[in-house]
Amino acid sequence: MKPYGGRMATRSATGLGERFLRQLLEPGDPAYDEARTVWNADIDRRPRLIARCAGVADVVEALRLAREEDLPLSVRGGGHGVGGHAVVDDGLMIDLSPMKGIGVDPERRRVRAQGGVLLGELDRECQAFGLATPAGIVTRTGIAGLTLGGGIGWLMRKHGATVDNLLSADLVTADGRLLTASAEEEPELFWGLRGGGGNFGVVTDFEYRLHEVGPIVLGGPVGYPLEEGAGVLRAYRDAVAEAPDELTTILVLRRVPPVPLYPEEHHGRAVVNVSACYAGDLTEGERVVAPLRRLGTPLYDLLEPRPFVALQGMNDASVPWGLGYYWKSWEVAQLEDAVIDDMVDAVFELPTPQSYIIVFQLGGAISRVPADACAYPQRDAAFNVNINAVWQPEQDREAPMDWVRALFDRLAPHSRGRAYLNFMGEEGQDRVRDAFGPEKYARLAALKDRFDPENVFRSNQNIAPSTRIRDGSQ
Ligand SMILES: Cc1cc2nc3c(=O)[nH]c(=O)nc-3n(C[C@H](O)[C@H](O)[C@H](O)COP(=O)(O)OP(=O)(O)OC[C@H]3O[C@@H](n4cnc5c(N)ncnc54)[C@H](O)[C@@H]3O)c2cc1C
């Protein structure tokens, strides 16, 4: 792995910045506001210090500083967490975004990537060799948060979730040690890192298994009018029931965003987008996706051969930085008629033009990994339904949030009571427990007791340690 960056200005009012290779930012520094900004504009937190880390030594130093000064700590990878746990008021934010090292080993089909790498950056390097590891569907998402929570996207049904392809991780633990976790070293910690979120340390390096992918895949959306939505979604459900692993589909129910991807005459129209990625032989793929083009009367059909990296970037413009976001999600065992009808009805009453529902088709390779292989729990659900309110920062946030809550409550009877960690905002301890179920949660809590008994890493979807109550909230 190449060393990244060089010595930069470390001047700071407190003099604490001298300890850092890269930058220690405080309120008033020109770069401070940009550094504390995350994807969700509803998050407006002001850390006392932001340590922009150049490497492991900076992470160790930042952690030591936070502990010496008794500052609450947060860790930022790509800044895409909807709940904004990456940034903490009045505390110290460990910002890994300068850590961009990526090293592909095409012979051994492995890649190592540092904690500040984004999905698009990782895909670009790996696709130079025609390789990829499964991750998410928006290029600016951080590999760190996504991997630690699970990681679902276009390749999951063929090659598993991101955690299923994680081979090792280097992390700095609460006591400042640098550990490697893998199947051979610290296997229990490795079990917990794969789905347990950022509870056990600051992960500085990830190592993933790579697969041959593309570089051309068959991918993109077919858009149907929402008026046909109930029928389209029933037909879709039947069409994908026996889908091969190479095919992953994602539904988006929304108004067509005014972005160049979509034909201008349809901008603003309420639609069901049936999006697909067929990662395999293109001729066979055409045969497999054909039914998805005939679920109703398509308004547009953008499901075509395209570079995998282009498919990965396709949704970026539809979920920009700078808007307010609020998410709630459920896993469902099936797309029952009532679930379909509730979703379609809700999209007829969108609270803002940018709000939407996104449904990930699960199953395939992720469902064949044994349930106890790692902490990530989403093995036997068929779909994940994520309800997303979006608003301009100056707009009222209550109505959009109420819209999410109302649909979330309506879908509750059809859910399996589970949540996906990476789609959770600030939803409380019970919901984190529910995400894992009692057995996995107990195993994670035991790991937390071992590696972070004082809950230093608590600005996250928190696994509470049982040994010591630090902040009084648990
Ligand atoms: C537009 C958008 C699209 C998304 N698409 C997908 C998708 O397709 N599939 C999917 O599975 N998820 C998806 N997600 C969810 C995403 O996986 C989570 O938001 C994830 O937390 C983002 O990681 P990050 O590093 O960007 O976030 P950050 O906000 O930087 O971090 C989130 C949390 O992760 C922890 N963390 C981050 N880095 C580290 C580290 N190095 N060490 C220890 N802990 C760390 C911290 O607790 C932090 O608070 C999407 C999110 C957004 C906003």
Side-chain angles (χ1 to χ4, degrees), residues 88-316:
V88 64
D89 271 330
D90 249 339
L92 187 149
M93 172 167 119
I94 292 185
D95 178 8
L96 302 181
S97 52
M99 291 176 59
K100 294 289 190 190
I102 302 173
V104 181
D105 181 343
E107 301 297 314
R108 295 169 68 222
R109 300 232 168 140
R110 290 176 176 207
V111 59
R112 287 187 70 88
Q114 288 185 306
V117 168
L118 306 181
L119 302 193
E121 295 161 346
L122 184 67
D123 282 333
R124 185 164 183 271
E125 292 300 322
C126 297
Q127 279 286 278
F129 300 94
L131 301 170
T133 202
I137 61 164
V138 171
T139 63
R140 289 190 68 180
T141 306
I143 61 163
L146 176 124
T147 302
L148 296 170
I152 59 174
W154 290 122
L155 303 176
M156 64 179 155
R157 287 171 44 82
K158 173 78 175 150
H159 297 300
T162 311
V163 280
D164 300 331
N165 292 278
L166 186 68
L167 295 170
S168 71
D170 291 350
L171 73 162
V172 179
T173 49
D175 54 6
R177 281 183 300 158
L178 180 64
L179 297 180
T180 297
S182 68
E184 291 78 35
E185 293 176 74
E186 298 289 356
E188 184 64 9
L189 178 58
F190 189 53
W191 179 91
L193 281 178
R194 287 174 295 157
N199 273 285
F200 308 111
V202 185
V203 180
T204 54
D205 267 272
F206 296 85
E207 183 188 20
Y208 303 97
R209 185 182 300 117
L210 291 171
H211 306 272
E212 271 183 30
V213 172
I216 303 295
V217 296
L218 190 53
V222 183
Y224 295 95
L226 187 69
E227 294 74 14
E228 294 184 10
V232 164
L233 290 176
R234 284 167 171 78
Y236 157 84
R237 181 180 60 194
D238 298 341
V240 300
E242 304 295 329
D245 293 352
E246 283 76 10
L247 180 68
T248 296
T249 57
I250 295 175
L251 305 169
V252 184
L253 288 75
R254 66 175 305 160
R255 288 188 180 279
V256 176
V259 298
L261 171 66
Y262 297 104
E264 212 174 319
E265 68 266 29
H266 298 306
H267 288 181
R269 199 173 194 313
V271 291
V272 175
N273 263 349
V274 178
S275 293
C277 171
Y278 186 89
D281 176 75
L282 294 181
T283 311
E284 174 62 6
E286 283 293 355
R287 194 190 63 74
V288 170
V289 306
L292 302 181
R293 305 185 195 277
R294 307 190 290 262
L295 302 172
T297 322
L299 295 169
Y300 46 84
D301 182 343
L302 307 173
L303 176 47
E304 57 197 40
R306 59 179 85 240
F308 179 65
V309 286
L311 179 69
Q312 286 292 76
M314 188 173 270
N315 292 305
D316 290 5

